Amino acid sequence: MIDDRFLADNTALQRPPVQFYFDFSSPYSYIASEWVEAVAARHGRRVQWHAILLGVTFQAAELKSPVSHPIKRDYTLRDFERSARFAGLPYRQPEIFPIATQNAARVFWWLHDHDPARAVAWAHAGLRAYFTRGVVLNDGEALKALLAESGIDAAAAEAAWSDLTWKARLKAENEAAVAAGVFGAPHFIVDGEPFWGNDRQAQIERWLANGPFKGLG
């Protein structure tokens, strides 16, 4: 007799994963990171995580961060916290925001190529630390302390984020994201269909359940 869990896991492996693009400095990425796995799993899908740099996608799309526009800044900061509360998540607006996240992202890809699950665990640790405790991920010492707290060899991680191999890997991932049409985070691609923003959860869930919406595809 075949275990139902095996069948479910095997189905998830056969169906295309949900592509999830995030930046460690994106509040909406933090919120989305807390629901994307559960939504995908409900529909027999896996999630493929992609750490990227929003600055690269903004530049490619000729965009700016919404907090850089005075008319949007107060509303956007308010919406970050409100959206987290709506999702039932803890949130504390970091005092230093936004920040450069290339080192945290390089560590993600370094871990990913050895153990994708550890990379996802690191993504959760980094996002939660920045958006609930204000851990400044662009500070080398703070980043190493968080890595050690997360059970990751901090010295090896520092060597990785300084290594040309992982610098080139992140650059390639950013370029691939832009080529795929990613212009912000969180950004999802489901069966070739792009969805941008944490507020697209309901649409993603319906797409996973029923396929393309009437009138599309």
Side-chain angles (χ1 to χ4, degrees):
M1 181 174 180
I2 299 176
D3 193 299
D4 287 343
R5 289 172 300 178
F6 172 81
L7 289 174
D9 290 345
N10 195 45
T11 299
L13 288 172
Q14 291 175 359
R15 302 183 71 186
V18 173
Q19 305 295 329
F20 172 52
Y21 297 82
F22 71 97
D23 184 312
F24 281 94
S25 188
S26 162
Y28 296 128
S29 287
Y30 158 59
I31 298 168
S33 72
E34 299 290 340
W35 57 255
V36 66
E37 292 276 4
V39 167
R42 279 198 290 272
H43 302 283
R45 302 290 186 105
R46 296 174 298 112
V47 179
Q48 189 166 349
W49 293 55
H50 301 263
I52 60 168
L53 301 181
L54 270 177
V56 175
T57 65
F58 284 165
Q59 185 176 16
E62 299 182 359
L63 297 172
K64 292 182 179 180
S65 167
V67 298
S68 68
H69 298 277
I71 196 170
K72 291 183 178 180
R73 181 178 175 84
D74 288 347
Y75 172 84
T76 302
L77 293 174
R78 186 182 188 90
D79 192 59
F80 292 158
E81 184 175 359
R82 181 176 61 201
S83 297
R85 289 201 312 268
F86 181 75
L89 298 174
Y91 185 85
R92 188 177 84 189
Q93 181 60 41
E95 291 184 14
I96 303 174
F97 175 84
I99 58 173
T101 58
Q102 67 270 18
N103 289 342
R106 289 168 187 159
V107 170
F108 172 88
W109 288 111
W110 168 66
L111 290 169
H112 177 274
D113 283 7
H114 296 90
D115 185 345
R118 287 194 77 198
V120 172
W122 164 241
H124 281 302
L127 288 162
R128 290 167 181 167
Y130 184 48
F131 289 111
T132 67
R133 294 157 45 197
V135 176
V136 186
L137 302 179
N138 64 334
D139 177 271
E141 293 307 310
L143 183 57
K144 286 192 290 183
L146 180 62
L147 285 158
E149 178 187 314
S150 304
I152 299 167
D153 186 326
E158 182 180 26
W161 85 55
S162 302
D163 192 301
L164 290 176
T165 298
W166 303 108
K167 291 181 179 182
R169 175 61 182 278
L170 178 57
K171 183 175 184 292
E173 293 293 339
N174 286 324
E175 290 171 350
V178 171
V182 175
F183 55 83
H187 196 109
F188 312 83
I189 299 178
V190 183
D191 302 330
E193 185 74 9
F195 297 87
W196 171 55
N198 173 64
D199 56 354
R200 290 298 180 263
Q201 179 180 353
Q203 289 191 18
I204 291 169
E205 182 115 35
R206 181 174 162 189
W207 186 284
L208 288 169
N210 302 315
F213 308 149
K214 185 177 180 181
L216 291 180

